[in-house]
Amino acid sequence: DTLVRRLKTDGNWSLLDRLWLFASESQQAAQVSLVNPSSTQITEVNSPTWTINQGYTGNGSTMYLNTNYNPNSDAIQYALNSACMGGYSRTNLTESVNIIGHSDGVNSTVVSPRNAGDTITGRMHAAVNASGANTSSLGLFAVARTTSTAQAVWKNGSSVASSVTASVGIVNNSMYVLAINSSGTAAQFNTKQCSMAFIGAGSVGQLLLFNAIEAYMDSIGAGVV
């Protein structure tokens, strides 16, 4: 209740299409988006490990979450030149895979918290990454597009890197968490523990969102920032 009220006060609630709290008190609740809860629930594929008040953990090979959110058919605030998405990681490691996203072989919408070489990378409706230095994969990571040529990657409410990259098009398949949807096939499996994921407009206030999510995570004893 405190989290929802804060998101509404901050103006972010109305800008989100989906917000899943995987770090919840029940596994069934973890599959339901707080925003638009009547939307299709998350599908657990190959039983990713769920831990109360922490979230889902992948095995790096077969486990992932299908959000069942395809922006071509399910978008409300999400648009070609105004979009964002991301997730909260409770695991710190170098892992050159994306925590959430999808691709059609031409362009992608993905974000990777900490690749080999200690970099964060992400792209939104593009074939080129924005990337910057990052030595920890703990916290809230996001990629956002705010214009037809501007994309940026975010860590814990701060912009880490941006790039002038034209939007190509919206990928026409569902986004995955703990892997990506690569033209209908799961790929880039990872072993992070993911506590939440979100999808929305490019105008979502990333610092306000991080502050609200971190306050929630701290309140249940699961915050890592």
Side-chain angles (χ1 to χ4, degrees):
D1 181 68
T2 300
L3 172 61
V4 171
R5 288 177 182 274
R6 183 166 184 173
L7 290 170
K8 289 184 176 182
T9 298
D10 291 343
N12 275 337
W13 182 263
S14 62
L15 299 174
L16 294 168
D17 285 1
R18 301 287 189 274
L19 174 64
W20 297 277
L21 284 180
F22 306 138
S24 59
E25 61 185 10
S26 75
Q27 191 166 353
Q28 192 278 331
Q31 300 166 39
V32 179
S33 172
L34 287 183
V35 180
N36 298 312
S38 62
S39 59
T40 304
Q41 296 183 14
I42 287 274
T43 300
E44 301 172 355
V45 181
N46 295 318
S47 303
T49 302
W50 179 81
T51 304
I52 187 171
N53 287 336
Q54 292 185 12
Y56 287 101
T57 305
N59 64 354
S61 58
T62 60
M63 298 174 176
Y64 66 96
L65 301 170
N66 183 348
T67 68
N68 294 305
Y69 175 93
N70 182 334
N72 277 271
S73 55
D74 301 320
I76 302 170
Q77 297 297 325
Y78 187 103
L80 176 63
N81 296 318
S82 176
C84 70
M85 62 97 189
Y88 189 102
S89 167
R90 296 190 73 250
T91 309
N92 186 20
L93 79 167
T94 56
E95 197 172 41
S96 297
V97 292
N98 296 285
I99 193 171
I100 179 174
H102 59 171
S103 171
D104 61 12
V106 176
N107 72 99
S108 308
T109 293
V110 293
V111 61
S112 178
R114 183 187 177 195
N115 291 335
D118 287 333
T119 59
I120 176 177
T121 62
R123 63 179 71 171
M124 173 69 71
H125 307 152
V128 178
N129 285 328
S131 61
N134 179 41
T135 58
S136 173
S137 60
L138 295 174
L140 184 63
F141 295 86
V143 60
R145 176 172 289 278
T146 51
T147 72
S148 62
T149 58
Q151 64 176 7
V153 285
W154 294 75
K155 174 186 176 181
N156 297 333
S158 296
S159 177
V160 177
S162 61
S163 69
V164 178
T165 305
S167 55
V168 178
I170 297 178
V171 177
N172 188 20
N173 57 44
S174 297
M175 292 186 186
Y176 291 171
V177 179
L178 298 176
I180 68 164
N181 185 344
S182 180
S183 301
T185 300
Q188 297 193 26
F189 299 92
N190 65 81
T191 61
K192 295 179 182 67
Q193 184 176 69
C194 187
S195 298
M196 64 83 67
F198 69 94
I199 302 168
S203 53
V204 167
Q206 293 295 330
L207 179 58
L208 292 171
L209 179 62
F210 165 70
N211 287 338
I213 295 300
E214 189 60 33
Y216 169 80
M217 294 296 291
D218 291 344
S219 75
I220 60 174
V224 292
V225 179

